[in-house]
Amino acid sequence: MRLDTTFAPDTIALKKVDVVVVGGGIVGASAALYLAQKGISVALCEKGRIAGEQSSRNWGWIRKVKRDPRELPLMFESARLWDMMSESVGTDIGYRTTGHLFAAETDESIAKYEDWIEQARDHQVGARIITGRTLEQQMVGAGQRWKGALYSPNEAQAEPQNAAPAIASAAEALGAKILTGCAVRGVELTGGRVSAALTESGRIDCDTLIVCSGAWTSRFLRDLGLRLPQLKVRSSVLRTAALNGPENIALWCKEASFRKRADGGYTIGIGFTAVAPIVPDSFRFFREFLPALLMEHSSIKLRVEKSFLNEWATSKAVRADEVSLYERTRTLDPEPDRKVTERSLFELGKLFPVFSHAQIVEQWAGMIDVTPDMLPVISAVDSIPGLAVATGFSGHGFGIGPGAGKLIADIVSGAQPAVDAKPFRFSRFVDGSDIRPTTGL
């Protein structure tokens, strides 16, 4: 998946801002927007292009259902922001309410969905189990195939390739500096606190630095002596040409997931399988991730790939005066598992004959940044004043992105957050907290 970009000049005229944001995905762009709205000077530094990685490669779902209940207050805040996002950024980002349907083939699956509804009851998500004729009305033909489904009518979607760039442009219009092709190689500390971002194009003095680097975050923080247990999972997706199929709902089932795009085609994801490349961090963080691996053993496929040697070779600390790994890999652009995506489309065609005529236009893959408990980190780092982190969204990041960006903006600016940030604290990995997951990817 390739998007156009404009690269920063060889040297940066910008010398000082209040906040530097590292990473131009949906969360970083949102953080820049909400900081700029507060009148705080901010520079967003992106080593490649805005939304070049997972923020443009996801399914485009904006959902509350099947989230960890601890995420739900933040997701409700994010949904509020999404609801007015097109107006806020001054352009159509494809946002619309469609409803989401999670198919259940067995009584056991229905029981798991019922358990989630009970856990989330206090949050009034509005999800329910539907069966029979009601299910048939929502997804024609579904009542003959599945025992039931978890149905959430108020869920939404947007176009990932449009959303983060539009948010970044809106931030720029408010005075934020958006620097693409500008890798941050390191952080300068003075007296133990953040004093500058050291980029490939020069130094930017700042009081605060927010790391929103997705799959790169753990590696970036390691050079600051910080240990963040985070791994990468590869998810493959395809899109079709325009097709006259189901329009008003997005579906997840064992065979595949789909949603109708603004261009009339469909984004189709693998319903039940993702690949976790085995890399050096797999061993560093094995103990923390073991519960998640046991929970997701049927849907996570472990593979040894060339990325193991690549990451081993780039494990030494990055020097601010040398070309870094961030410049050598501007964009994580892994090959999709084409056999798996095409098999998913084939199986989808057996469930819904209209998909048997679908023309594949594009296939791609993205690297999802995951944490052991599948909750994000949205937090200041206590041991380094001026440093904050927003990462580890574990496949849930697009929908929750605006809320996460606003939360980290509130945290670093000293504003009162709209939601409790305690579940997302950086320190939970070392303070004895239970970091086992409660829900899957």
Side-chain angles (χ1 to χ4, degrees), residues 78-139:
S78 196
R80 183 185 71 82
L81 297 171
W82 273 115
D83 197 45
M84 54 187 180
M85 187 63 74
S86 291
E87 181 179 354
S88 297
V89 303
T91 189
D92 181 12
I93 56 172
Y95 175 83
R96 61 192 179 104
T97 300
T98 55
H100 292 172
L101 196 74
F102 290 81
E105 294 186 333
T106 65
D107 290 333
E108 180 183 8
S109 294
I110 291 176
K112 288 181 179 179
Y113 290 155
E114 288 174 336
D115 181 61
W116 182 87
I117 291 173
E118 184 60 33
Q119 292 181 51
R121 190 169 301 281
D122 290 345
H123 300 282
Q124 300 180 341
V125 174
R128 64 185 188 272
I129 302 296
I130 59 174
T131 59
R133 184 171 179 79
T134 304
L135 176 55
E136 182 78 18
Q137 289 172 342
Q138 293 298 333
M139 187 66 67

Side-chain angles (χ1 to χ4, degrees), residues 302-317:
L302 301 175
R303 291 184 186 171
V304 178
E305 302 175 339
K306 65 180 181 180
S307 58
F308 185 99
L309 294 177
N310 291 340
E311 295 196 19
W312 183 274
T314 57
S315 60
K316 69 176 183 177

